[in-house]
């Protein structure tokens, strides 16, 4: 009887794996829909008479319209969990007329803030002949810092990563047009490598967790590492390993080397599992798991004494939830809409009402 149960669990996980792989292959090779850039240009420039593609490495166009000559260029950058592609519409003087988003798979609740707070209109009137810096984004490439210029925009609080991705994509397209059309070249500040205390803190924490595998005495400090993780990763850096991070890797939506935190998260979560066979992220690093563990210790509840057969079935729940998220994300064509994870609610105090309802459930599951 026990052997039969094991077989059922095996076939169940096998079914989840095969269908998940099929969904991933479909979403990578067939589900992605191409953007009709010319139609988008006609929708946003009145009186278009001709659209001529500019030969080069990026989607760029010369547009003749009743109001004069315009240029449109597209580029993309990695956001929190997906690539964000933008189209910049530029007038014949090299000034930004409009910035549009053509593709993105960010968490809707966070990306909507950019629209609600009029972020995209802040690009209007800025020049493509010099970089557009990002104000209020300390520690990010392209940060305004002490640069004496009026060619900048301010990030949207609570959506800094998405704000940065849009600004980086716009700058990439602007630099391309600046060189191709306006014969002006400048160094893109979004390509400048930066190693701040945030990246160093993440690297140190992962190295301590890695050392804990080989130095058994370090297990004693695990609880302190988790406490630091709540403060540093949870409250200050706001970086978490999520299912959407995995989906972005599967779709090869990989950011530039300037986004070191993304690489540290991937290496410290998925990398440790693949190469060491150990889930060090959940045991040593995860700030949400740390909050659950401390809540459990404070509550002082005794174990519920659940039987082993029930525990084995409960272990199938995470795989099932991940499978459901993957299948729904494939069907909807946007994994960002499935950001059911409660990290943002707990540490950013920002989430949809569904997540707020689910947060107590996730927290008290550890009791």
């Amino acid at each position: 009887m026990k052997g039969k149960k094991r077989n059922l669990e095996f076939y169940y996980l096998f079914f989840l794996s095969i269908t998940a792989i099929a969904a991933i292959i479909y979403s990578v090779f067939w589900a992605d829909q191409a953007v009709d850039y010319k139609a988008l240009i006609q929708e946003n420039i009145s009186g278009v008479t001709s659209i001529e593609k500019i030969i080069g490495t990026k989607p760029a166009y010369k547009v003749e319209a009743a109001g004069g000559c315009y240029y449109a260029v597209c580029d993309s950058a990695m956001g929190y969990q997906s690539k964000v592609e933008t189209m910049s519409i530029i007038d014949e003087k090299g000034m930004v007329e409009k910035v549009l988003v053509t593709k993105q798979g960010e968490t809707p609740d966070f990306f909507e803030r950019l629209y609600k707070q009029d972020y995209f209109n802040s690009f209007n009137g800025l020049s493509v002949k010099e970089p557009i810096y990002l104000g209020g984004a300390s520690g990010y490439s392209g940060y305004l810092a002490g640069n004496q210029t009026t060619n900048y925009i301010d990030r949207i609080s609570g959506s800094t990563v998405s704000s940065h991705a849009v600004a980086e994509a716009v700058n990439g397209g602007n630099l391309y047009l600046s060189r191709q059309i306006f014969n002006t070249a400048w160094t893109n500040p979004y390509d400048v490598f930066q190693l701040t205390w945030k990246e160093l803190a993440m690297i140190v924490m992962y190295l301590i967790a890695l050392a804990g595998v080989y130095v058994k005495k370090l297990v004693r400090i695990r609880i302190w590492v988790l406490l630091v993780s709540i403060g540093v990763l949870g409250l200050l850096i706001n970086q978490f390993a999520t299912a959407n991070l995995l989906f972005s890797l599967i779709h090869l939506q990989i950011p530039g080397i300037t986004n070191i935190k993304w690489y540290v998260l991937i290496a410290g979560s998925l990398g440790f599992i693949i190469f060491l066979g150990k889930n060090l992220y959940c045991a040593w690093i995860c700030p949400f798991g740390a909050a659950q563990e401390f809540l459990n210790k404070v509550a002082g509840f005794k174990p519920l004494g659940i039987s082993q057969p029930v525990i084995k079935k409960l272990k199938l729940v995470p795989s099932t939830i991940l499978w459901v998220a993957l299948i729904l994300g494939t069907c909807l064509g946007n994994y960002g809409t499935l950001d059911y994870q409660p990290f943002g609610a707990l540490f950013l105090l920002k989430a949809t009402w569904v997540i707020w309802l689910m947060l107590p459930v996730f927290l008290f599951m550890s009791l």
Side-chain angles (χ1 to χ4, degrees), residues 31 112 148 160 169 210 227 250 258 362:
E112 279 297 318
Q148 300 299 316
T160 304
L210 181 61
L227 183 61
I250 291 171
T258 54
F362 281 106

Side-chain angles (χ1 to χ4, degrees), residues 72-86:
V73 62
C74 297
D75 203 358
S76 62
M78 190 67 194
Y80 182 71
Q81 63 190 27
S82 71
K83 277 192 175 180
V84 177
E85 185 185 75
T86 64

Side-chain angles (χ1 to χ4, degrees), residues 271-349:
F272 283 171
I273 292 175
I274 293 174
F275 296 107
L276 299 178
K278 296 181 182 296
N279 186 359
L280 297 182
Y281 178 81
C282 290
W284 284 77
I285 304 295
C286 179
F288 191 83
Q292 286 181 310
E293 187 166 334
F294 281 111
L295 185 61
N296 187 19
K297 290 182 180 296
V298 171
F301 290 156
K302 295 181 179 179
L304 296 177
I306 301 174
S307 64
Q308 284 300 317
V310 174
I311 291 175
K312 288 181 69 175
K313 287 183 173 59
L314 289 175
K315 287 182 178 180
L316 298 174
V317 173
S319 301
T320 304
I321 293 175
L322 182 61
W323 180 84
V324 170
L326 180 62
I327 297 300
L328 287 176
T330 302
C331 294
L332 295 173
N334 182 3
Y335 294 112
T337 59
L338 300 170
D339 191 23
Y340 59 88
Q341 293 146 128
F343 308 109
L346 181 62
F347 294 106
L348 299 176
L349 301 179

Side-chain angles (χ1 to χ4, degrees), residues 193-266:
F193 180 84
Q194 288 188 339
L195 185 64
T196 67
W197 71 267
K198 294 181 179 180
E199 288 83 8
L200 289 173
M202 291 178 67
I203 292 171
V204 168
M205 292 186 68
Y206 278 105
L207 289 177
I208 292 174
L210 181 61
V213 176
Y214 302 101
V215 183
K216 299 302 180 184
K217 291 183 178 180
L218 288 178
V219 175
R220 300 173 185 174
I221 67 169
R222 187 185 73 88
I223 197 71
W224 295 104
V225 174
L226 288 173
L227 183 61
V228 172
S229 176
I230 292 176
V232 176
L233 291 185
L235 298 175
L236 295 178
I237 304 179
N238 305 136
Q239 291 289 327
F240 321 101
T242 65
N244 288 317
L245 188 74
L246 175 61
F247 294 153
S248 69
L249 179 64
I250 291 171
H251 284 78
L252 299 179
Q253 296 184 346
I254 300 173
I257 193 62
T258 54
N259 190 348
I260 301 174
K261 291 189 285 290
W262 188 92
Y263 289 93
V264 174
L265 278 175
I266 287 292

Side-chain angles (χ1 to χ4, degrees), residues 140-202:
Y140 288 80
S141 59
Y143 175 44
L144 177 63
N147 292 290
Q148 300 299 316
T149 179
T150 58
N151 216 53
Y152 73 92
I153 54 170
D154 288 317
R155 56 101 184 193
I156 300 300
S157 178
S159 297
T160 304
V161 178
S162 295
S163 302
H164 179 268
V166 171
E168 183 179 355
V170 169
N171 270 269
N174 288 357
L175 177 57
Y176 182 77
L177 275 187
S178 183
R179 289 171 173 169
Q180 292 282 92
I181 305 299
F182 299 103
N183 298 318
T184 304
W186 38 267
T187 301
N188 192 345
Y190 292 83
D191 292 337
V192 177
F193 180 84
Q194 288 188 339
L195 185 64
T196 67
W197 71 267
K198 294 181 179 180
E199 288 83 8
L200 289 173
M202 291 178 67

